[in-house]
Amino acid sequence: MLSLTDVSLQFAGDLLYKHVDLLFQPNHCYGIIGANGAGKSTLLRIISGELAPTTGSVSMRKEDRMSVLEQNHFKYDEYPVMDTVIMGNRRLYEIMKEKDALYAKPDFSDEDGERAAELEGEFAEMNGWDAETEAAQLLNGIGIPSDLHYAQMSSLDGRQKVKVLLAQALFGHPNIILLDEPTNGLDVESTEWLEDFLVDCDAIVIVVSHDRHFLNAVCTNIVDVDHETCKMYAGNYDFWYDSSQLMQQLIRNQNKKREEKIKDLQEFIRRFSANKSKSRQATSRKKVLDSIQVEQMPASSRKYPFVGFEPEREAGKDILTVDGISKTIDGAKVLDNVSFTVKKGDKIAFVGDNEAGATALFRILVGELNPDEGSFKWGVTISQSYFPKDNTRFFEDFDGNLIEWLAQFSFDTTETYLRGFLGRMLFSGDDVYKPAKVLSGGEKVRCMLSRLMLSKANALLLDQPTDHLDLESITALSKGLQAYPGNLFFASHDHQFIDEIANRVIEFPLGQQGCLDYEGGFEDFLQWKRSR
């Protein structure tokens, strides 16, 4: 078991949490949720021992081993992939290396033999002889092919490194597993494998994630980090969300009744307090009034932005035709003879490992890139607006504040109008005067969504729009795109986000011509793909 007792943390002069008491048990998976900046990842750092709490303690059994998903993707570049995974059990790895060094000595002594025997005994107790087999199984499961198992980490791309580090965190049957955004960059197959692994895992698993589908699939409990508190609830994310919404509504209804009662009492006191015959009764009512406390809604750091896209004009019948487009980037062919026709009302999700292919197609369709071969044609009634995966160029050379930044994209540049759009994206008060250059990743995404709403386009192209967003913003964006009456083209790894929005799915398989084009939802697409 793992417990937090009376944990508080002051961070940069602010109280992040106070009096946190949590108990984590084996064979349970705990999802930590909360708004950006609430302290989810900080809580993991306290649990792991990387950060000491201001007050309170974290305790676990001495014999338990804790494993943490490494966030530095370059830390192991000098090591082979297999060694990197086995380092997930640091003591086992140290034994292996010490044994190898002893046996490699040309002057192997009796003392070396005694030490080697000790190490062999400990090695066997830790199932060391099965270490490489287990590591290989984890690597294969997470999508690292066998021919890379002994490659140098430095030779892997970013997504492959993420998978290796995830295998490292899962290696050696740790008793406690801490995972911070484990599905970032994972393809659907790898995410499904991870879900199955964690469901069958008998360890204490604590995970921070913005992936609602993942939280629903693996979590037995939710830890809600909100307004200086951390509270644990039974159930997965959807159960927590539905329950919290119901509770909020019940409290609102209760408050409304109490407020109506108070108004009645106040009116009675106003009317009769000056009437001698009624004064005693009025005094009695005042005592009742004083005893009633209007229960406040639980103070919450959660804020849901408003996302709504309204096209300036309705699209005609002809939307988009793509004919034989091919594109090579940095020596790799990311699009190969791709053709498809878009119908009015299509909301197309571009999925799969070939992120570069989806990004290249978007940039071609908005005129930022030229295809090597093929062509495309938009309908005459279509106007497009593009949300790029990398928004750096929109902010790095701009010296003004948010009002001035958004004014670049608006026909109405009055502060009142622009404040309205920024307010929808949770920029209120003096926030609108923040320099655009200093925004966080999530704040930049919300600004880009404001720009997209201002465009009033009837065709939207969004490349990984949920990156950097918290669960509240992802939920709001999903609702806005579901209600959008125009055509939508978007790339995402967020399973639930895709499933809620898309009515058509396209994949560009690496190393293959054309594309997989499926008319229907994402879950149906996955079943169709498995059955092919």
Side-chain angles (χ1 to χ4, degrees):
M1 280 194 289
L2 171 72
S3 64
L4 276 66
T5 305
D6 195 27
V7 166
S8 300
L9 180 69
Q10 277 200 322
F11 194 75
D14 295 325
L15 188 64
L16 202 55
Y17 344 97
K18 60 183 178 183
H19 307 308
V20 174
D21 295 293
L22 296 171
L23 177 65
F24 301 96
Q25 302 191 55
N27 204 30
H28 285 66
C29 180
Y30 301 86
I32 301 180
I33 64 171
N36 283 348
K40 302 183 295 295
S41 296
T42 303
L43 186 62
L44 283 189
R45 292 174 62 202
I46 290 174
I47 294 171
S48 70
E50 181 186 345
L51 183 65
T54 306
T55 65
S57 62
V58 179
S59 60
M60 55 185 276
R61 298 186 307 175
K62 288 183 179 180
E63 63 268 28
D64 284 348
R65 182 171 69 83
M66 181 181 291
S67 181
V68 181
L69 176 59
E70 178 64 58
Q71 299 297 309
N72 182 353
H73 299 168
F74 304 99
K75 183 175 180 178
Y76 300 94
D77 275 2
E78 61 186 275
Y79 297 97
V81 168
M82 183 63 67
D83 282 23
T84 300
V85 175
I86 295 174
M87 281 184 202
N89 188 335
R90 177 60 65 172
R91 178 57 188 156
L92 177 61
Y93 182 76
E94 290 170 352
I95 291 171
M96 292 174 64
K97 290 304 168 185
E98 188 176 350
K99 279 200 320 157
D100 291 345
L102 284 172
Y103 292 138
K105 290 178 68 173
D107 54 346
F108 189 81
S109 64
D110 290 342
E111 185 178 342
D112 292 332
E114 291 176 3
R115 177 59 179 161
E118 292 175 4
L119 293 171
E120 290 289 6
E122 191 175 354
F123 183 72
E125 287 179 5
M126 300 177 74
N127 296 318
W129 297 112
D130 297 327
E132 290 200 10
T133 300
E134 182 192 345
Q137 289 173 343
L138 289 170
L139 289 168
N140 288 331
I142 204 69
I144 299 296
S146 299
D147 59 349
L148 293 179
H149 288 188
Y150 293 91
Q152 286 295 115
M153 284 289 287
S154 57
S155 68
L156 272 56
D157 63 32
R159 296 183 69 191
Q160 290 170 331
K161 287 181 180 179
V162 168
K163 292 181 177 182
V164 174
L165 294 177
L166 190 51
Q168 179 194 74
L170 304 177
F171 173 78
H173 307 283
N175 306 98
I176 302 168
I177 304 172
L178 307 184
L179 304 175
D180 194 350
E181 298 293 355
T183 62
N184 276 4
L186 291 189
D187 52 76
V188 172
E189 290 78 11
S190 299
T191 300
E192 289 181 341
W193 178 88
L194 178 60
E195 290 171 358
D196 292 339
F197 183 95
L198 295 180
V199 167
D200 293 334
C201 181
D202 58 5
I204 295 170
V205 180
I206 306 175
V207 58
V208 171
S209 179
H210 289 141
D211 187 330
R212 293 168 295 163
H213 184 274
F214 178 73
L215 291 174
N216 284 326
V218 304
C219 288
T220 60
N221 299 77
I222 293 295
V223 177
D224 182 22
V225 181
D226 188 29
H227 196 67
E228 302 176 358
T229 64
C230 301
K231 294 183 179 179
M232 186 182 295
Y233 302 89
N236 61 15
Y237 176 77
D238 275 353
F239 186 85
W240 168 86
Y241 178 81
D242 291 342
S243 299
S244 67
Q245 295 299 301
L246 176 61
M247 183 57 69
Q248 295 278 23
Q249 186 59 52
L250 289 173
I251 294 172
R252 279 193 290 267
N253 292 343
Q254 189 179 51
N255 281 348
K256 186 176 180 181
K257 290 179 182 178
R258 293 187 180 189
E259 287 166 356
E260 288 173 354
K261 180 66 173 174
I262 287 173
K263 286 180 182 177
D264 290 343
L265 290 168
Q266 287 173 332
E267 177 61 18
F268 183 90
I269 291 167
R270 185 189 66 77
R271 289 170 53 202
F272 295 109
S273 59
N275 187 322
K276 287 184 179 180
S277 65
K278 298 283 188 180
S279 61
R280 183 176 296 176
Q281 199 175 1
T283 301
S284 145
R285 294 292 194 277
K286 190 173 187 306
K287 288 180 181 179
V288 174
L289 177 63
D290 290 340
S291 70
I292 293 179
Q293 300 294 322
V294 178
E295 184 178 356
Q296 299 297 314
M297 294 288 288
S300 174
S301 60
R302 273 181 178 64
K303 296 179 180 178
Y304 288 81
F306 173 80
V307 181
F309 303 100
E310 299 177 1
E312 193 166 34
R313 63 180 296 185
E314 184 179 352
K317 183 179 178 181
D318 295 328
I319 307 299
L320 172 67
T321 301
V322 174
D323 185 14
I325 283 183
S326 297
K327 185 64 181 180
T328 298
I329 296 178
D330 296 329
K333 199 161 194 177
V334 297
L335 297 172
D336 190 357
N337 194 28
V338 170
S339 300
F340 58 89
T341 300
V342 179
K343 304 183 298 297
K344 186 174 181 178
D346 277 349
K347 293 184 177 180
I348 304 175
F350 294 87
V351 302
D353 285 344
N354 191 2
E355 284 186 37
T359 297
L361 179 67
F362 287 162
R363 295 186 65 194
I364 288 169
L365 294 179
V366 297
E368 291 186 2
L369 281 180
N370 292 319
D372 299 332
E373 300 173 25
S375 62
F376 67 94
K377 184 179 180 182
W378 288 102
V380 294
T381 63
I382 304 302
S383 57
Q384 313 95 38
S385 190
Y386 175 43
F387 178 103
K389 180 162 60 175
D390 182 3
N391 57 40
T392 305
R393 70 180 189 271
F394 288 89
F395 297 94
E396 62 182 351
D397 295 325
F398 190 81
D399 293 324
N401 59 37
L402 298 193
I403 291 282
E404 294 164 335
W405 183 88
L406 193 59
Q408 303 173 96
F409 313 107
S410 177
F411 68 92
D412 186 338
T413 58
T414 61
E415 181 168 325
T416 301
Y417 181 77
L418 297 173
R419 266 185 175 275
F421 269 88
L422 290 170
R424 293 178 180 181
M425 288 291 109
L426 308 182
F427 297 105
S428 59
D430 290 340
D431 288 345
V432 300
Y433 300 121
K434 288 174 76 170
K437 280 184 177 179
V438 305
L439 297 179
S440 68
E443 288 173 329
K444 287 178 180 177
V445 170
R446 285 188 273 124
C447 280
M448 293 296 291
L449 291 175
S450 292
R451 169 183 171 270
L452 212 63
M453 287 189 284
L454 281 169
S455 73
K456 298 190 179 297
N458 55 23
L460 300 178
L461 300 89
L462 293 85
D463 196 355
Q464 303 297 337
T466 63
D467 286 359
H468 306 293
L469 290 182
D470 56 24
L471 285 166
E472 290 72 35
S473 298
I474 293 171
T475 300
L477 177 58
S478 175
K479 289 181 177 178
L481 292 176
Q482 290 175 61
Y484 176 59
N487 281 89
L488 180 64
F489 309 78
F490 69 104
S492 176
H493 292 296
D494 188 316
H495 188 126
Q496 187 162 339
F497 185 77
I498 299 170
D499 202 44
E500 289 172 343
I501 299 167
N503 58 22
R504 182 175 173 184
V505 181
I506 291 179
E507 181 178 349
F508 307 126
L510 288 166
Q512 297 183 31
Q513 281 196 348
C515 61
L516 297 177
D517 189 349
Y518 182 81
E519 298 268 357
F522 187 48
E523 286 285 356
D524 292 337
F525 165 77
L526 294 175
Q527 291 183 15
W528 170 76
K529 188 179 174 183
R530 292 187 193 104
S531 66
R532 292 179 73 242

